[in-house]
Amino acid sequence: MLRINISTQPIRLNYNINNAQMNLHTTLPKVQLETTAATVDISQPQGRLTIDQYPCRYSIGIKNNTDFARDIAAKGKQTVMSTIGRIVQEGNQLARIQSKSNAIADIAANSTVSVVPDITYAYIASPDISYQASPVQFNTTEGKVDLNLNHGTVKQDYRRGNVDIQVTQYPSIEISTVDVKV
């Protein structure tokens, strides 16, 4: 009987692999911000307060020259009119001869009687008070932002990878026959 022997030898390869390399060198970006704050200056000048005491003083008799002269002239006119009225009344009293009274004695008696002045509660005027407010003044200064930007950089160094293949054993097939006796 014949027997077939088959023996094989596989291929053997030797691989030499160099990996690809990429080296990156980076410079970080820098952002520099300088800010100036916005400001608001608020000021309000003092208001103007005016107090006029003249109406109050006028009502208690303290007057300026113009008003004093006008009031004295009015009082003088009133006194002249009342004196004229009194003189006319006395003249009429003297002219009444038919009455049996002593007109001169009556006139003299009436002139010596003084009228007791009455106490009068009078209103005292309030002073004129006024206030003029000054407007608020705003002075604004705008804020600023100064931006300095330094861009970052990327430097790359790339080396390609390679594969070196060497055959260290070639494949082979060996076929033989053997005569075997049974």
Side-chain angles (χ1 to χ4, degrees):
M1 160 176 309
L2 281 178
R3 184 189 234 181
I4 299 178
N5 285 334
I6 302 174
S7 69
T8 61
Q9 183 178 348
I11 187 168
R12 288 194 182 174
L13 300 174
N14 189 14
Y15 295 101
N16 189 6
I17 300 173
N18 291 323
N19 291 330
Q21 288 183 345
M22 179 178 284
N23 294 322
L24 295 176
H25 301 283
T26 60
T27 304
L28 295 176
K30 291 182 183 176
V31 176
Q32 294 175 336
L33 287 175
E34 292 183 20
T35 59
T36 304
T39 58
V40 177
D41 294 328
I42 301 173
S43 64
Q44 183 173 12
Q46 291 183 347
R48 183 177 177 129
L49 176 65
T50 305
I51 300 174
D52 186 8
Q53 290 278 3
Y54 186 70
C56 181
R57 291 179 180 177
Y58 183 87
S59 64
I60 61 173
I62 302 172
K63 305 172 184 173
N64 64 18
N65 291 336
T66 305
D67 290 338
F68 184 69
R70 186 180 321 117
D71 290 348
I72 292 297
K75 186 76 168 175
K77 183 177 179 182
Q78 181 183 357
T79 303
V80 166
M81 295 306 281
S82 66
T83 302
I84 291 172
R86 183 181 53 81
I87 291 172
V88 168
Q89 183 182 6
E90 289 175 358
N92 289 340
Q93 194 175 4
L94 289 173
R96 272 190 250 126
I97 301 173
Q98 68 272 14
S99 72
K100 302 287 186 193
S101 66
N102 188 353
I104 296 176
D106 289 340
I107 292 172
N110 287 340
S111 66
T112 59
V113 175
S114 62
V115 177
V116 178
D118 293 332
I119 296 176
T120 305
Y121 294 103
Y123 170 77
I124 297 177
S126 299
D128 290 334
I129 299 173
S130 64
Y131 179 75
Q132 183 178 6
S134 299
V136 177
Q137 297 174 350
F138 293 97
N139 293 326
T140 59
T141 304
E142 292 183 3
K144 293 181 185 177
V145 176
D146 292 327
L147 172 68
N148 291 328
L149 179 62
N150 296 329
H151 295 282
T153 58
V154 177
K155 293 181 182 177
Q156 66 178 3
D157 180 20
Y158 178 71
R159 292 186 189 153
R160 290 179 173 248
N162 61 1
V163 177
D164 187 19
I165 303 173
Q166 294 177 348
V167 178
T168 57
Q169 179 179 332
Y170 287 98
S172 65
I173 297 178
E174 198 174 304
I175 302 173
S176 63
T177 60
V178 176
D179 189 17
V180 178
K181 293 186 185 174
V182 175

